[in-house]
């Protein structure tokens, strides 16, 4: 083995999910990882991958430290994703374990959270050697050549790489800059997962819908597939919006893969027995020419597979018609986030449609019997006990009109996302912000990996509304829980963890 990729859990590397009640371990691998791992394999490197939370769920006594020691050929380069802030503690726990076990191995972290906090991570955590800001394909190609192969360039010339220039000096990013264009994305293999331990269990974990999920003998398989990068929106709670991608990755809006390239990948998944494909971006927000070509080619090629798509805004009726003519609806699900029943609150948070339009769209989905997952958000700016009554009313309307066996609904609390407009401009939203540094997120994740006996929903979220203290959020959560318990569809209580 030349290179090892590890996806961390939210919790520490020795987490015992069989003994204690954990908060979600966040087991999903960032979709871009699949592409650059397969790129490195195509370069001739021997690459293996571990999804640590899946390993721990499969084998509660799994020891990363012992596993590393048992390898016949030790990796020279270890890649750890720190994309979502929920892995801030877990990623550092993995890095520390790797460095203590294999002190001569080079440890690299990357992802959106790394891109924002890269210099701070290197300044405070000695067991991380390098961080990558933005897209990682070319930086990893060159770094792997340096560490594992026979690279001709100098580390100082590798684009997007953050390093320690010398003893006592603050970490800084190299001058070169790189981001992946559409042609590069289409050239990558975003499907092959044979390098990942317990790959079928992970495929089962990705399935979204009504089916029973089993990891040990999975029957329902899904795969998160890269269909592009970037975003064209700036929802105030999201750290992966247009401005963040512009600042951290040099991207302005979407970089779209070709519909033909995506169809080829979907065909591979269908041939390999997958029942569902999860699309990494909302293709309903792509140009109509793109998704019309995508659906038409799927039909022309006789490819019928379930599709999971998260609608960023409301789709057109034409899109819904095309989706439902093409997808295997038994394994399809769409996610929609109205966030609040109050239209002004919804608009303030980046969703631009009325309740009337939303309910009309549900009628179109209902006609085709499409499974849906509705997301509200209990603690976003503007949601108060008064506006919350409108949320309950809208949720009740949905439950009374949509078939119960096709409906799931959740109303969680948001945590402050680094680089989100809420984080960058808290005064604009009447907020007091508590999380501003990587250490803040590290401490938050370390302290919220396991459910305490008593939970106050809205607490430890990195922010508080000046006009809505946390105790009010808990009162709203209790009201929602009563509502949820009374429903005949799958309406979940407000999560008691983070």
């Amino acid at each position: 083995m030349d290179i090892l990729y590890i996806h961390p859990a939210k919790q520490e590397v020795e987490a015992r999910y069989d003994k204690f009640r954990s908060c979600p371990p966040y087991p999903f691998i960032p979709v871009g990882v699949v592409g650059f791992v397969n790129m490195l394999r195509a370069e001739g490197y021997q690459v293996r991958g571990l999804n640590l939370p899946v390993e721990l769920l499969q084998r509660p006594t799994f020891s990363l430290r012992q596993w590393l020691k048992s390898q016949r050929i030790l990796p020279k380069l270890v890649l750890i994703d720190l994309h979502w802030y929920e892995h801030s503690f877990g990623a550092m726990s993995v890095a520390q374990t790797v460095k203590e076990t294999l002190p001569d191995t080079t440890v690299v972290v990357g992802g959106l959270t790394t891109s924002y906090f890269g210099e701070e991570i290197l300044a405070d955590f000695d067991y991380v050697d390098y961080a990558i800001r933005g897209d990682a394909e070319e930086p990893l190609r060159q770094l792997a050549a340096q560490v594992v192969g026979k690279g001709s360039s100098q580390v100082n010339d590798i684009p997007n790489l953050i390093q320690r220039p010398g003893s006592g000096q603050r970490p800084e990013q190299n001058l070169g800059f790189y981001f992946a264009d559409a042609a590069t994305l289409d050239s990558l293999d975003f499907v092959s997962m044979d390098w990942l331990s317990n790959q079928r269990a992970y495929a089962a974990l990705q399935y979204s819908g009504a089916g029973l999920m089993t990891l040990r003998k999975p029957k329902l398989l899904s795969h998160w597939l890269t269909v592009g990068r970037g975003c064209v929106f700036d929802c105030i709670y999201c750290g992966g919006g247009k401005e963040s991608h512009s600042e951290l990755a040099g991207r302005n809006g979407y970089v779209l893969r070709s519909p033909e390239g995506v169809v080829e990948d979907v065909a591979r998944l269908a041939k390999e027995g997958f029942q569902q494909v999860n699309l990494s971006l909302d293709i309903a927000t792509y140009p109509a020419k793109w998704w019309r070509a995508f659906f038409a080619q799927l039909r022309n090629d006789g490819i019928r597979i379930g599709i999971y798509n998260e609608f960023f805004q409301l789709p057109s009726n034409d899109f819904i018609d095309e989706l439902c003519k093409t997808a295997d609806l038994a394994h399809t699900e769409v996610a929609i986030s109205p966030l609040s029943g109050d239209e002004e609150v919804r608009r303030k948070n980046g969703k631009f449609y009325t309740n009337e339009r939303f309910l009309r769209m549900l009628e179109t989905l209902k006609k085709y019997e499409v499974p849906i997952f509705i997301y509200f958000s209990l603690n976003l700016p503007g949601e108060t006990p008064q506006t919350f009554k409108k949320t309950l009313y809208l949720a009740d309307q949905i439950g009374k009109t949509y078939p119960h066996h096709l409906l799931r609904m959740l109303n969680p609390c948001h945590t402050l996302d680094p680089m989100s407009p809420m984080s960058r401009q808290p005064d604009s939203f009447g907020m007091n912000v508590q999380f501003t540094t990587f250490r803040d997120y590290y401490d938050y994740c370390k302290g919220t990996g396991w459910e305490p006996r008593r939970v106050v929903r809205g607490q430890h979220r990195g922010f508080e509304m000046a006009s809505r203290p946390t105790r009010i959020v808990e009162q709203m959560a209790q009201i929602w829980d009563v509502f949820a318990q009374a429903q005949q569809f799958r309406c979940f209580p407000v999560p008691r963890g983070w």
Side-chain angles (χ1 to χ4, degrees):
M1 172 171 46
D2 299 314
I3 301 170
L4 174 64
Y5 161 74
I6 305 175
H7 174 67
K10 176 184 173 84
Q11 294 81 11
E12 61 273 15
V13 294
E14 305 89 359
R16 289 296 299 267
Y17 298 129
D18 60 327
K19 289 188 174 183
F20 306 101
R21 189 177 180 88
S22 75
C23 294
Y26 296 92
F28 294 114
I29 294 172
V31 292
V33 167
V34 181
F36 70 63
V37 166
N38 286 318
M39 176 201 74
L40 292 171
R41 296 170 74 208
E43 295 277 320
Y45 301 109
Q46 296 294 316
V47 187
R48 294 185 64 183
L50 284 179
N51 185 323
L52 184 58
V54 170
E55 297 296 324
L56 292 169
L57 289 168
Q58 293 276 80
R59 293 180 289 158
T61 60
F62 175 81
S63 167
L64 176 61
R65 195 179 301 270
Q66 292 303 318
W67 186 90
L68 291 169
K69 290 179 179 178
S70 72
Q71 300 308 300
R72 186 175 59 87
I73 301 176
L74 301 178
K76 296 180 181 178
L77 179 63
V78 172
L79 315 176
I80 304 168
D81 70 84
L82 177 46
H83 185 67
W84 293 291
Y85 61 83
E86 292 289 356
H87 294 106
S88 295
F89 169 67
M92 295 301 101
S93 179
V94 169
Q96 183 175 5
T97 300
V98 170
K99 208 65 174 177
E100 289 175 351
T101 310
L102 308 174
D104 295 329
T105 293
T106 299
V107 175
V108 186
V109 296
L112 202 56
T113 297
T114 301
S115 296
Y116 190 43
F117 292 119
E119 287 85 357
E120 183 184 347
I121 291 169
L122 262 64
D124 292 351
F125 296 89
D126 292 342
Y127 32 83
V128 177
D129 295 302
Y130 299 106
I132 293 176
R133 171 167 287 132
D135 290 348
E137 287 81 14
E138 187 58 29
L140 283 179
R141 189 195 306 272
Q142 295 186 29
L143 186 63
Q146 282 290 323
V147 175
V148 184
K150 298 179 180 179
S152 57
S153 62
Q154 298 298 313
V155 170
N156 290 345
D157 297 328
I158 297 176
N160 298 18
L161 192 71
I162 303 172
Q163 61 170 316
R164 300 180 184 90
S167 177
Q169 293 182 274
R170 180 169 176 77
E172 58 185 32
Q173 181 180 339
N174 291 347
L175 292 177
F177 191 76
Y178 160 85
F179 73 91
D181 59 17
T184 298
L185 295 184
D186 268 338
S187 72
L188 297 172
D189 176 1
F190 289 107
V191 174
S192 298
M193 297 291 291
D194 53 320
W195 46 270
L196 182 70
S197 174
N198 283 309
Q199 59 169 309
R200 284 185 67 83
Y202 180 56
L205 198 63
Q206 295 173 79
Y207 185 90
S208 185
L212 179 65
M213 183 182 70
T214 56
L215 298 187
R216 284 182 166 75
K217 294 183 178 180
K219 296 180 179 179
L220 297 173
L221 306 177
S222 190
H223 180 85
W224 276 99
L225 179 65
T226 294
V227 297
R229 285 188 187 164
C231 193
V232 294
F233 302 104
D234 263 318
C235 300
I236 70 169
Y237 53 86
C238 180
K242 181 178 179 180
E243 289 300 316
S244 298
H245 277 276
S246 175
E247 182 172 333
L248 300 178
R251 227 184 326 270
N252 183 25
Y254 285 145
V255 175
L256 308 183
R257 291 189 61 196
S258 69
E260 297 80 13
V262 177
V263 168
E264 288 180 12
D265 286 351
V266 175
R268 286 182 58 191
L269 292 167
K271 187 176 181 180
E272 293 174 15
F274 283 72
Q275 288 78 26
Q276 184 184 76
V277 58
N278 301 347
L279 306 180
S280 65
L281 293 171
D282 176 14
I283 62 170
T285 63
Y286 281 21
K289 180 180 179 181
W290 193 101
W291 50 259
R292 288 187 189 280
F294 172 68
F295 289 130
Q297 188 172 341
L298 286 175
R299 291 194 299 270
N300 291 340
D301 293 349
I303 302 165
R304 195 160 181 84
I305 191 172
I307 294 175
Y308 178 84
N309 192 84
E310 297 180 0
F311 291 135
F312 296 168
Q313 303 291 337
L314 292 190
S316 67
N317 285 339
D318 286 347
F319 180 91
I320 295 174
D321 292 340
E322 287 290 304
L323 170 69
C324 295
K325 284 192 300 184
T326 307
D328 180 354
L329 295 182
H331 297 291
T332 289
E333 185 176 57
V334 298
I336 316 155
S337 301
L339 301 178
S340 173
D342 185 281
E343 294 173 357
E344 184 178 347
V345 173
R346 185 182 307 139
R347 185 167 53 253
K348 182 178 184 178
N349 284 279
K351 305 296 181 182
F352 306 109
Y353 48 86
T354 64
N355 289 338
E356 181 184 0
R357 284 185 57 214
F358 172 70
L359 293 170
R360 282 205 310 268
M361 185 268 301
L362 291 189
E363 286 297 318
T364 305
L365 292 171
K366 176 181 172 183
K367 178 179 70 174
Y368 289 107
E369 298 186 349
V370 179
I372 64 173
F373 202 143
I374 303 295
Y375 289 90
F376 293 100
S377 185
L378 192 68
N379 68 332
L380 284 178
E383 189 77 327
T384 66
Q386 290 70 38
T387 64
F388 181 57
K389 293 176 183 178
K390 297 181 181 180
T391 299
L392 289 170
Y393 180 72
L394 180 59
D396 186 58
Q397 282 185 291
I398 297 168
K400 286 177 177 176
T401 58
Y402 212 82
H404 291 169
H405 69 290
L406 300 174
L407 175 60
R408 295 197 288 169
M409 188 180 293
L410 181 64
N411 194 356
C413 290
H414 265 82
T415 299
L416 184 70
D417 202 337
M419 277 297 290
S420 66
M422 284 170 53
S423 177
R424 297 197 306 261
Q425 306 151 21
D427 292 345
S428 300
F429 308 106
M431 294 168 40
N432 298 314
V433 166
Q434 291 103 33
F435 296 172
T436 58
T437 66
F438 180 73
R439 180 64 71 170
D440 292 332
Y441 283 93
Y442 176 92
D443 291 340
Y444 152 74
C445 293
K446 185 177 182 179
T448 58
W450 306 93
E451 282 194 16
R453 292 180 180 176
R454 183 176 181 275
V455 175
V456 178
R457 269 78 61 93
Q459 192 175 33
H460 306 310
R461 294 291 175 179
F463 74 100
E464 188 173 278
M465 303 302 299
S467 59
R468 189 199 61 205
T470 300
R471 61 179 175 80
I472 299 297
V473 176
E474 173 61 28
Q475 291 171 8
M476 293 158 59
Q478 293 177 14
I479 294 170
W480 178 269
D481 290 350
V482 172
F483 169 81
Q485 190 173 16
Q487 304 310 307
Q488 296 180 354
F489 62 92
R490 286 170 297 162
C491 187
F492 303 101
V494 178
R496 306 192 71 82
W498 292 266

